[in-house]
Amino acid sequence: MNGTTAPSPWLPTAPCTPGRCTAHPGPAPGEETPGAVAAGLVLAAVRLTAGIGSVLLGLLFAPATGLLPAAARLALVRAWVRVVVRAFGVRVRFTGAAAPAAGPLLVVANHVSWLDIPLLAAVLPGRMVAKAEVRHWPVLGTIAALGGTLFIDRDRLRALPGTVRAMAGTLAGGGRVIAFPEGSTWCGRAGGRFRPAVFQAALDSGTDVQPVRIDFRPTGAAAYVGDDPLGASLWRLVATRRVTADVRILDPIAGGGHPDRRSLAAAAERAVAAAVTPALVIPAPGTPAPSGPAPRVVAQRAVASDSANLPFSSVHQRARSSPASASSSRTPA
């Protein structure tokens, strides 16, 4: 929100702001990971150019992918988003339970950054849930609509049941839906409550819920909160060395084992909150690798489903915040 319009009272809010949460030079309390290390101007510029270039290249060839079989199209999209994330200088580690190869699933995750979208698209692609305004954005709005994004009108609470019904229909048809039930981005040092509305779709369709935990190290470099401009977020990311994203796929939760959506939302929230990943230390060149068992890396396979959309369809789906309470709503209720 801007300074003249009050946010809707039912929209989720987070106390995170760029000044308070993204400028910390050291690690967060309890982290063993080194704090942010600045990259040189040249390296940052190269990363920014490579990242934006890879996004534009993918968008250029996106129409042609519609001619490919579903499995090939998804494999190409997943490869693209991994290239995009790496081009921006982010190293990624996928750990935890094996991702289901196919079948309906409500994927829910904590929400830290615009990077969450390509990260989930790389491992569990599906139809994103986005605010209605994204539909009218140049280029990205068209891609989002063509990719089957489910749009939420945040200013019309009465429209929410219709969105939930659309989610349930996608799940009942064998597709996947990806939502961020915190409803707003948090900086990664803390998280928000999982709003129960989206979980009704899982109950109505008899679909399992797949919780995912996303962590970034150093904390703050990738955070995209409050009134943070996208350009500032991009530059902060490419100007930081050794940024690592850890995507942990947790055990699925059977929707039928919970009496209502609030109980199911609370179970997913507890699972994500408890899955705090170990500190990710990226050693300097020449440093011996740490001893001990290596984390189990998830083996990934392409998902043969027409429900997966192009990954950047819901980038910057945040409600603009007031100075007192920064809001970045994606999923209300």
Side-chain angles (χ1 to χ4, degrees):
M1 296 289 180
N2 56 34
T4 61
T5 304
S8 299
W10 55 271
L11 286 177
T13 60
C16 306
T17 63
R20 294 173 56 188
C21 301
T22 65
H24 294 276
E31 285 185 356
E32 299 175 9
T33 311
V37 178
L41 182 62
V42 173
L43 176 59
V46 169
R47 285 177 172 177
L48 185 62
T49 302
I52 294 176
S54 60
V55 171
L56 294 178
L57 188 63
L59 294 178
L60 179 64
F61 288 100
T65 63
L67 304 176
L68 299 175
R73 182 169 64 251
L74 281 184
L76 187 61
V77 168
R78 292 170 66 173
W80 171 47
V81 294
R82 291 182 186 230
V83 168
V84 168
V85 172
R86 192 67 188 95
F88 279 114
V90 180
R91 305 183 188 187
V92 185
R93 185 175 70 172
F94 297 99
T95 60
L105 210 58
L106 175 61
V107 181
V108 296
N110 61 307
H111 203 8
V112 179
S113 172
W114 56 269
L115 278 166
D116 302 340
I117 293 114
L119 289 173
L120 289 177
V123 64
L124 287 166
R127 296 184 68 178
M128 292 284 178
V129 178
K131 67 178 184 178
E133 291 88 333
V134 174
R135 187 193 295 270
H136 305 292
W137 288 0
V139 183
L140 292 181
T142 301
I143 295 296
L146 292 175
T149 297
L150 296 166
F151 295 102
I152 291 179
D153 189 341
R154 300 171 305 157
D155 295 324
R156 294 179 59 229
L157 183 58
R158 284 187 239 179
L160 182 58
T163 302
V164 173
R165 286 193 296 270
M167 294 172 60
T170 297
L171 295 170
R176 288 179 179 167
V177 175
I178 300 174
F180 300 98
E182 287 171 313
S184 63
T185 49
W186 290 67
C187 66
R189 287 170 159 78
R193 181 174 68 86
F194 276 21
R195 302 298 177 110
V198 298
F199 294 90
Q200 187 64 47
L203 293 176
D204 292 345
S205 60
T207 303
D208 289 348
V209 173
Q210 176 65 70
V212 178
R213 170 84 187 201
I214 301 175
D215 287 296
F216 293 94
R217 301 292 189 272
T219 301
Y224 184 44
V225 295
D227 285 324
D228 197 11
L230 181 59
S233 175
L234 288 171
W235 183 254
R236 183 171 58 251
L237 179 67
V238 299
T240 305
R241 289 183 181 270
R242 299 195 292 275
V243 176
T244 302
D246 192 300
V247 181
R248 178 169 293 191
I249 302 170
L250 308 175
D251 293 330
I253 301 173
H258 295 269
D260 54 45
R261 63 186 185 182
R262 294 187 182 278
S263 173
L264 185 55
E269 180 183 334
R270 287 194 300 269
V272 171
V276 178
T277 56
L280 302 178
V281 180
I282 305 301
T287 303
S291 58
R296 182 159 60 94
V297 178
V298 178
Q300 302 301 337
R301 293 186 293 164
V303 182
S305 169
D306 286 325
S307 67
N309 65 323
L310 292 175
F312 282 91
S313 61
S314 51
V315 170
H316 205 131
Q317 299 164 30
R318 305 175 305 127
R320 308 302 285 173
S321 66
S322 63
S325 182
S327 173
S328 50
S329 173
R330 275 197 179 88
T331 309

